[in-house]
Structures are given as C-alpha cells and as structure tokens.
Amino acid sequence: MNEERLLKRYQALVGAVPQSVWVLSSEGVVTLLSDSGIAEKLWHPDGETSWMDAVHPKDRDWFRRAWRRANQQRSPLNTIVRVRLDGLPDRFRHIKIIAAPVLHQGGEVEWVGTATDAEDRWRTRMREKLLARMAAVPAAHNLSEAFLTTAAAVVPELADAVAIFRVGDGVEIGVRPSEGVPATASPERVGLAPGLPSLPLLDADFALGPVARQAIESQNTRLLIFPPGGPPAEGISNASVRWLREARATSVALLPVVVDGRTVALAAMATCRGNPPPDEADLALLQDVFQQMSGPLRRTMELQSIRDTALALQQSFLAAPPSVEGLALTALYHPADSAAEVGGDWYDAIRLSDGSLALSIGDIAGHDVDAATAMGRVNSMLRGLAYDSGPAASPASTLTRLDRVVQALDDPSMVTAVHAVLRRQEHDIWHVTLSNAGHPPPLLIPAGAPSRYLHGLTAPDPPLCVGDTFPRTDFQAVLRKGDTLVFYTDGLVETPDTDIGSNLQRLREHTDALAREGVSLPSLIRGLLPPVQDRRDDIAVIALQVRPDP
C-alpha cells in the first residue's frame, strides 16, 4: 500500500514539472514515463533508425562522444543539444537533457532522464555571447578587420561559411554596376568551418548576382533554400554556384548591414555539407549580430575616411622626380600595410640652375593628419629655401635655416631629414654635398664595388625641432658613371625588436645581391622593400644613378 502511494506521488510530481521523463534501455529503446508536452513535438524512434539520428548534424559528433563517455564512466549526463522536431526533418529545437545511469542486478544498465525545452534560454545566451564579442571590438584599423571579427563570431555556431562584402557606389576597384544598382568589391574577409573547400578567388570582374543586389537595394534579408549541393542557377553568381555545389550547401542567407540608412556591407552566409538551413529564429539572431556591426563600422569608416584624406594629402607632395640630363631618377612611397594610420614621410627633388639638383628625404614624427599636414609644410619650406639658396649653398646651412623657420612658425614635431645638392662635373662625374639631420644614412652603390653608407666623420647631426639651433655639418661624396645613390626613410630598416645595425647590414647585403643581378634602377628599389607582412611603417625611397653622356 505504501509503495502504491509513493508511486502515485511520484507520478503526480513528474507530471507537475515542465519536462518529460524517459527511460533509455541498453538496447537504445526509449520509453516515455511522463510528458509535459515537449516530447510530442520531438522525433520519435520508429525502430528502424537510431535515436542519435534525431540529433542535429552539427551536434552529433560531440554529443556522441559525451554519451559514450557517460556510458563508460557510468556518470550522469547534463547538456543542451538540438533535437529534430517530429515530422520536420530540417527543424530542430534545443533541449536540455539530464540523464543518470541505473545499474540493475546482472550488470544491466538503463538510463533515466528528463528533457526540458531550452530553446529560449539557449538563444538568449547565444545572442548575449555574440553581441558581447562584437561590443568588445573597438573601431578596427580597417574594414577588413571589422569584417573578420564578425565572421569569426558566427562560424560555425550559426553558419558554415561567411563572406562579407563591402558595398560601394559603383565606382570602386572591383565594382561592376548593373542597371544602376550598387555592386560590391571583392569580399573583405571570410569565415569558413573546417573541412570546407576554399572559397573562390574573386577578381575585379566579379559581380554579385541579382538576389544579392536586391538585398542591398531593399535592405531586407534574403534566404535561399535548396537541396544539398543544388543551388539555383539563376540569381546567384556563377562562381558562387560552383562553390555551393562542391560544399553541398543547403541554403544561402544574404543580410545587408545598414549604417545611417545606407547599405555598407552584405553578409553572405551558407549552411553546407547537408546541414539544415537556418530557421526564422536563427535569421533573427544573425540579423541582430550583423546589425551590431553598424557602430564599429561607422567608426571604422570615419577612420578610413580620415586616413584616405591624409594619404591623398601626403601623396600630393610626392611628385615624380624631374628629368635631369646625365641622371636616372626614380622614387616610390608605400604606406604601412598593417596600420590604419599615415606618417610624415616625404621625398623631393628639384632642378636648380646650372643643371644641378637638390634632393631631400625626411620623416616627421607622428601618424595622423597633423603629421601629414606638417610634412607638407616642411617639405614646401625646404624646397623654397633650396631653390632660393641655389646650387652653391651648403645643405647644412639650408637645414639650419629650415630649423629656425619651422620652430618659429609652428609647434613642431621632431623631423629627421637628409638634404643634398648634386653638381655635375666633367666626364660623367657628379659632386655630392649633403647634410644629415638624424636620418638613416644614404646608401651608395658604386658600379662594380660593394655598397657602403655615406657617413660623415661623426654621427649624424641632431634632428630638426629638438631644441635650440645646433651646428650642422656637410660632407662630400663623388658619383661616377654607373654609381647609384639611394635615400630612404626608417621604415625600410627599422622594425620592432630588431637591431638597427643588423638591419642596415642586411640591407647592404641585399642591395649588393640585386646589383650583381644587373637589375634596373626601379627594380632595384622595389626589390629593397620588405615583405608586405613585415611592413610596420611608411617607406619612402628616392634613388638616382649616373648615366653616361649620350
């Protein structure tokens, strides 16, 4: 009688809580003891398929490992897993499963457990986690970093592949407008789940398909669902169709990212390898995450606009070197590839009377619009002083005058510079007088001899704008037919955590190797640049080579 009363109490108890109670035999047969209603929505075994098949494909591997470990250790299982809804092969719901082993006589083990609906709780936690990832990221140095961070936030939890496109106005590199609808450049960054084929390379002729353009124009999410590996041939670009087939994709979601009423990016997400497509709740979560990009994107775009303005200002002062009889001149400027800032690097060359040449290179401390503006002022003043002083002037005297003027007119930052005057002598010989204000030494490459740095008898003079006027010195050099002289900024030889002396030695050795190959002057200075991934600062180079008289 007491056992019957206890059983009724137990049945009443399990029926009063919002969960299902079940028993799983060692043979995998599931028996429902009590149902709160959730079990009616879930997949029911039919005796022909394993109950593990009801688990979401993305959860199957880790859940199978967790279940095997619990079996081996006879330990309880407590986890949240996606389980298929009954009669809906592509619809799943997050269920919290708690199971404990019951050991019977003879060693037989069965499992008693509960299943509780955890969909709302899972989505709330996932939304908080993803938005926290986005909120923790300040304005990135460039749009690619912002896109990469966002793509990494949703792969592989919510998508198997993400390509984020920066939307343009039809006039950017890589943009091909179609019927007045904004197109887009190549994808900035992508996120890809392990095991998927590499995304296709998209060249400048790539254009988004009609469905993507519709999403950009309407600012509404578009979802395409199709059989595994069977995307529609219409509406999607050919390159995308080929990749979707290879990846056995089942869907593509296109989410526009809107900032201040304008679509500035388009996120293209795919579910692959036969995984089920996202449902309405998944799309809503993805929309929240990608719209969270609007704040960082706005700040990033503002920084990018400032940088573009500064670069345009900086490069406006970097004109092509003039043509000088008896000399070949070439120059280049490369902004830092790893930062969103600009520097104050410059080079300049102007013709003086009597066929002489004034040449300068320099660097102003700072990496912002102020540095670029100051660079323009200093460069312009040095050019004017050099032209006014003429070919007979001492470069040290010209730098001294520049130092006084800059310190009197501005609140200047430190400036390093080399200023040189080249005067032509007979028989293809040029006389060089130069003064060095705290700048890396020019590199002389004699024809048929090892290169060497042009140093004075002492260390370089102090930089400009570091205090009261210091006495400055000139030193001389002679260039003969075939000799090359290279002026450069510190970005070519200074990198963090390295020794400048060793870097200068490596530059000499590399220069000698290129000179032995007999490369042209433009190829020589391009060959001196470090790999893109190693560039941490702007680099300016101007070089000249003595040519024989015609």
Side-chain angles (χ1 to χ4, degrees):
M1 186 68 179
N2 288 336
E3 292 182 359
E4 181 180 352
R5 179 177 296 179
L6 289 173
L7 179 59
K8 289 182 178 181
R9 288 176 179 175
Y10 173 74
Q11 291 174 337
L13 174 63
V14 297
V17 294
Q19 61 186 15
S20 300
V21 182
W22 47 268
V23 173
L24 177 66
S25 70
S26 57
E27 291 80 19
V29 177
V30 179
T31 303
L32 193 65
L33 297 182
S34 173
D35 182 19
S36 64
I38 181 63
E40 295 179 359
K41 305 175 184 178
L42 302 181
W43 171 87
H44 293 276
D46 56 12
E48 297 181 359
T49 57
S50 167
W51 67 279
M52 191 66 74
D53 291 338
V55 176
H56 193 286
K58 286 188 177 183
D59 295 348
R60 207 165 286 163
D61 287 342
W62 71 259
F63 185 69
R64 183 179 285 111
R65 290 193 299 270
W67 181 251
R68 185 183 301 117
R69 184 168 56 252
N71 263 298
Q72 292 172 347
Q73 299 175 358
R74 300 291 194 265
S75 60
L77 179 69
N78 186 337
T79 191
I80 294 178
V81 65
R82 284 172 287 186
V83 178
R84 189 192 313 158
L85 296 179
D86 189 32
L88 300 172
D90 290 335
R91 298 293 299 276
F92 293 80
R93 196 165 184 87
H94 286 87
I95 304 298
K96 182 177 180 62
I97 292 179
I98 300 176
V102 178
L103 184 61
H104 297 286
Q105 293 182 351
E108 182 182 358
V109 178
E110 65 178 1
W111 292 80
V112 177
T114 60
T116 308
D117 190 350
E119 184 69 22
D120 292 341
R121 178 169 51 175
W122 182 88
R123 291 194 181 278
T124 298
R125 290 182 178 178
M126 177 59 69
R127 182 178 186 277
E128 291 173 350
K129 181 175 75 172
L130 295 178
L131 295 185
R133 291 181 188 176
M134 295 299 303
V137 178
H141 280 167
N142 52 59
L143 290 177
S144 295
E145 287 188 34
F147 294 158
L148 176 61
T149 300
T150 309
V154 300
V155 175
E157 285 98 335
L158 298 177
D160 295 309
V162 176
I164 304 180
F165 298 80
R166 179 181 177 182
V167 173
D169 298 320
V171 293
E172 298 182 63
I173 296 175
V175 174
R176 189 171 69 193
S178 175
E179 300 176 358
V181 179
T184 173
S186 297
E188 297 280 350
R189 293 287 182 181
V190 298
L192 203 61
L196 288 177
S198 299
L199 284 155
L201 296 175
L202 305 178
D203 57 25
D205 291 330
F206 173 79
L208 294 175
V211 177
R213 295 199 298 271
Q214 291 167 11
I216 293 171
E217 188 178 43
S218 67
Q219 298 184 347
N220 292 321
T221 298
R222 297 295 304 271
L223 175 64
L224 302 178
I225 298 175
F226 39 82
E234 301 294 330
I236 305 177
S237 68
N238 293 333
S240 299
V241 168
R242 289 192 296 269
W243 185 87
L244 292 169
R245 288 172 178 167
E246 186 179 358
R248 295 189 63 247
T250 58
S251 72
V252 172
L254 300 167
L255 281 75
V257 180
V258 180
V259 175
D260 297 332
R262 184 170 70 90
T263 304
V264 299
L266 181 71
M269 284 161 292
T271 52
C272 305
R273 293 179 293 201
N275 289 325
D279 57 21
E280 293 84 352
D282 293 329
L283 283 179
L285 182 55
L286 285 167
Q287 288 169 337
D288 282 347
V289 171
F290 279 95
Q291 199 52 44
Q292 189 75 9
M293 285 180 65
S294 61
L297 270 183
R298 182 184 293 106
R299 296 191 295 272
T300 298
M301 292 168 66
E302 290 170 353
L303 291 175
Q304 189 72 42
S305 176
I306 292 172
R307 181 175 189 257
D308 291 344
T309 300
L311 279 174
L313 173 64
Q314 187 172 25
Q315 292 176 341
S316 68
F317 293 101
L318 303 177
S323 175
V324 178
E325 185 179 351
L327 293 177
L329 285 95
T330 189
L332 61 79
Y333 170 77
H334 274 273
D337 293 312
S338 61
E341 300 171 330
V342 295
D345 293 23
W346 89 86
Y347 62 78
D348 194 18
I350 57 171
R351 296 180 61 177
L352 305 176
S353 59
D354 300 330
S356 300
L357 177 73
L359 189 148
S360 62
I361 194 162
D363 184 8
I364 292 180
H367 292 83
D368 51 24
V369 176
D370 290 341
T373 303
M375 176 273 295
R377 290 198 299 268
V378 172
N379 183 18
S380 296
M381 284 189 282
L382 179 55
R383 168 181 275 251
L385 290 172
Y387 190 83
D388 180 65
S389 300
S394 156
S397 175
T398 303
L399 287 181
T400 298
R401 294 176 62 193
L402 175 67
D403 198 2
R404 287 199 303 265
V405 172
V406 173
Q407 293 195 59
L409 297 180
D410 294 325
D411 181 15
S413 299
M414 184 180 71
V415 181
T416 68
V418 173
H419 180 57
V421 174
L422 290 85
R423 305 176 187 87
R424 185 170 184 171
Q425 309 294 317
E426 296 180 359
H427 308 299
D428 302 322
I429 296 175
W430 289 76
H431 183 267
V432 182
T433 305
L434 61 86
S435 183
N436 188 337
H439 200 78
L443 181 61
L444 174 61
I445 313 170
S451 60
R452 68 178 188 272
Y453 290 106
L454 292 185
H455 295 285
L457 296 177
T458 61
D461 297 331
L464 308 181
C465 306
V466 295
D468 295 336
T469 301
F470 293 90
R472 300 195 176 276
T473 57
D474 289 323
F475 59 96
Q476 320 293 324
V478 175
L479 301 181
R480 294 178 172 82
K481 183 173 63 175
D483 290 353
T484 301
L485 185 58
V486 181
F487 298 78
Y488 55 92
T489 55
D490 57 7
L492 191 63
V493 291
E494 290 187 2
T495 54
D497 303 321
T498 61
D499 177 67
I500 182 63
S502 299
N503 292 345
L504 287 169
Q505 177 64 27
R506 280 194 292 270
L507 179 62
R508 278 190 55 201
E509 295 170 353
H510 186 40
T511 300
D512 290 341
L514 291 172
R516 286 194 296 270
E517 295 175 5
V519 298
S520 65
L521 184 61
S523 297
L524 173 68
I525 66 170
R526 284 196 301 268
L528 298 180
L529 295 177
V532 171
Q533 65 271 17
D534 294 337
R535 298 176 194 171
R536 297 294 184 269
D537 199 358
D538 297 357
I539 298 173
V541 181
I542 185 166
L544 58 91
Q545 189 174 70
V546 178
R547 293 292 177 87
D549 289 328

